[in-house]
């Protein structure tokens, strides 16, 4: 089968022909319908995130059950599924609560999941080590649904834990209206009555936010002007929840400036920004949070939101073979919503 493989940082991924895997006892083989192209892959490809290649990329995957390893029950060939991405040990306290994203044994596993150390979904087929890592897709289009596994699950988890702060009259700031950010604004609209501000440095991404029904959009290319504008919209209370889907120094600093007292600053983006602390900056009562991905049950909730028609990934479809060009488009900021590769 054809696959897109990470070799090592600084090298473009390779298109390779590899043997189609066979599921060992307890494993499941999934025929991939869609593999989302996440900006985290660019961090893996361009910088060193400490992951040992080679492995097949793609950690945001959907498809159909193709074969069951011995002993697997409750699934049958053809079932449409999402593959839950952060693979934990399955035994620790966090994993038993379905939060494998916070597995206590992650350091000793040698992999963060398929496409993140183990072979992922940018291929015709993908091996999933356990049926507990599959979530039923129901009637959703499997290609459209691929981004639910990360681009929607990650913001959903970040937003859900901040819900008590997102009351009527509170202001929520979302920075970076790309793959994750365009899902975040939809999730926020579906789940909270708070006032929403979308921010980006790219006018077309701000246009996307407007199209998704966001009333206030702010260009943050000039951070001083942006801070003033955001403060004007939020009023004296300041921003109650800032969700930074970039995580660069400029965006983290902007969040610190605009959050109010008793707020939350959530950094999701991995661009290396640092939160500096001084007395009352961030303001007193501000919680800083660094969520990672989401739990298995939260992925089921995300699927339910999509099935109810409340959220929908805006996707651009590409053939698997175009992965290298698609990564370049993502690097150049030219993808609207999420790119999904189709084997
Ligand atoms: P993306 O490339 O699809 O979107 C990024 C967006 O940020 C683009 O719209 C871009 O124009 C905008 N942007 C870039 N620099 C900016 C700046 N200085 N100010 C304002 N906007 C700016 O990326 P994505 O796939 O949505 O991923 C976003 C980030 O989240 C990445 O760093 C990725 O690695 C990270 N991520 C983290 C987790 C986690 O669990 N913590 C999970 C998935 C992705
Ligand atoms: Zn990702
Ligand atoms: Zn665990």
């Amino acid at each position: 089968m054809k696959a897109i493989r990470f070799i090592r940082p600084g090298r473009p991924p390779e298109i390779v022909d590899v043997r189609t895997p066979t599921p060992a006892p307890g494993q499941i083989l999934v025929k991939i319908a869609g593999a989302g192209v996440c900006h985290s892959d660019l961090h893996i490809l361009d910088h060193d995130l400490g992951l040992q290649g080679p492995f097949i990329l793609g950690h945001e995957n959907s498809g159909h059950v193709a074969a069951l390893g011995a002993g697997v029950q409750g699934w049958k060939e053809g079932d449409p599924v999402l593959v839950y991405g952060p693979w934990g040990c399955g035994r620790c306290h966090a994993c038993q609560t379905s939060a494998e994203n916070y597995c206590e044994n992650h350091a000793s596993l040698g992999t963060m999941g398929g496409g993140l150390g183990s072979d992922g979904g940018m291929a015709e087929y993908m091996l999933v080590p356990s049926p507990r890592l599959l979530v039923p897709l129901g009637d959703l289009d499997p290609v459209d649904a691929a981004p639910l596994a990360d681009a929607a699950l990650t913001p959903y988890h970040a937003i859900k834990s901040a819900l008590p702060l997102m009351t009527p009259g509170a202001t929520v700031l979302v920075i970076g209206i790309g793959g994750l950010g365009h899902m975040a604004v939809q999730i926020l609209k579906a789940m909270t009555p708070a006032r929403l501000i979308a921010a980006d440095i790219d006018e077309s991404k701000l246009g996307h936010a407007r199209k998704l029904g966001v009333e206030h959009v702010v260009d943050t290319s000039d951070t001083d002007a942006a801070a003033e504008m955001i403060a004007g919209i939020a009023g004296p209370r300041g921003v109650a929840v800032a969700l930074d889907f970039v995580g660069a120094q400029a965006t983290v600093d902007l969040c610190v400036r605009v959050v109010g007292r008793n707020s939350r600053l959530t950094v999701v983006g991995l661009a290396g920004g640092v939160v500096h602390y001084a007395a009352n900056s961030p303001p007193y009562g501000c919680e800083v949070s660094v969520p990672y991905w989401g739990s298995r049950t939260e992925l089921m909730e995300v699927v339910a939101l999509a099935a109810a028609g409340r959220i929908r990934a805006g996707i651009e479809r590409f053939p698997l073979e175009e992965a290298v060009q698609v990564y370049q488009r993502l690097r150049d900021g030219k993808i609207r919503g999420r790119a999904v590769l189709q084997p």
Side-chain angles (χ1 to χ4, degrees):
M1 65 173 188
K2 285 223 164 50
I4 309 301
R5 201 154 68 175
F6 167 73
I7 309 298
R8 61 169 173 272
R11 265 183 63 171
E14 290 182 344
I15 303 180
V16 289
D17 238 312
V18 295
R19 214 165 41 85
T20 303
T22 327
Q27 299 182 332
I28 294 198
L29 186 70
V30 172
K31 183 167 173 32
I32 296 295
V37 183
C38 178
H39 200 111
S40 296
D41 287 347
L42 296 184
H43 296 306
I44 295 169
L45 290 163
D46 299 346
H47 314 111
D48 195 348
L49 285 195
L51 294 176
Q52 276 300 318
F55 58 82
I56 298 169
L57 287 159
H59 58 266
E60 184 179 272
N61 307 303
S62 61
H64 297 92
V65 171
L68 306 176
V72 175
Q73 285 175 347
W75 296 91
K76 61 178 188 317
E77 208 185 308
D79 282 344
V81 291
L82 271 185
V83 181
Y84 174 73
W87 298 349
C89 71
R91 305 178 309 275
C92 72
H93 184 273
C95 285
Q96 293 284 12
T97 67
S98 105
E100 302 205 19
N101 49 322
Y102 298 132
C103 174
E104 293 155 23
N105 296 312
H106 69 99
S108 61
L109 294 177
T111 176
M112 292 162 75
L116 296 166
S118 304
D119 282 341
M122 290 188 183
E124 289 166 62
Y125 294 89
M126 173 182 182
L127 261 191
V128 178
S130 164
R132 76 169 195 279
L133 302 169
L134 298 180
V135 166
L137 255 188
D139 295 330
L140 290 172
D141 177 272
V143 183
D144 286 341
L148 298 179
D150 180 6
L153 175 58
T154 301
Y156 181 84
H157 172 61
I159 288 163
K160 198 177 164 187
S161 62
L163 278 179
L165 289 172
M166 302 199 233
T167 49
T171 303
V172 180
L173 171 67
V174 178
I175 305 184
I177 312 301
L180 273 63
H182 94 288
M183 296 309 302
V185 298
Q186 296 179 61
I187 294 165
L188 285 162
K189 285 182 76 73
M191 295 181 65
T192 87
R195 181 184 301 115
L196 206 53
I197 305 175
D200 205 292
I201 49 173
D202 181 332
E203 187 47 47
S204 72
K205 304 297 170 73
L206 294 175
H208 195 185
R210 266 189 221 101
K211 213 149 181 213
L212 293 169
V214 179
E215 199 184 331
H216 303 282
V217 303
V218 174
D219 186 329
T220 50
S221 309
D222 176 342
T223 45
D224 288 337
E228 209 170 296
M229 219 176 140
I230 292 164
I233 298 165
R237 201 168 154 188
V239 167
V241 177
L243 296 156
D244 185 350
F245 293 105
V246 182
Q249 196 56 55
T251 56
V252 169
D253 287 345
L254 177 62
C255 291
V256 169
R257 278 172 76 174
V258 298
V259 289
R261 289 192 164 190
N262 196 24
S263 59
R264 179 180 276 224
L265 196 179
T266 300
V267 185
V268 176
L270 304 175
V274 176
V275 180
H276 295 284
Y277 174 71
N280 205 28
S281 169
Y284 289 127
C286 175
E287 302 168 358
V288 175
S289 119
V290 283
Y292 175 65
W293 222 327
S295 71
R296 286 189 278 116
T297 49
E298 283 171 336
L299 183 54
M300 299 178 106
E301 291 161 20
V302 164
V303 169
L305 260 188
R310 306 295 300 273
I311 59 170
R312 191 194 172 133
I315 69 164
E316 292 190 46
R317 299 174 181 225
F318 298 92
L320 181 70
E321 292 78 4
E322 285 178 25
V324 176
Q325 296 91 303
V326 174
Y327 278 125
Q328 192 52 46
R329 287 179 66 127
L330 185 63
R331 231 178 244 115
D332 295 340
K334 297 229 168 75
I335 300 290
R336 180 187 164 92
R338 197 60 139 186
V340 176
L341 301 178
Q342 289 181 269

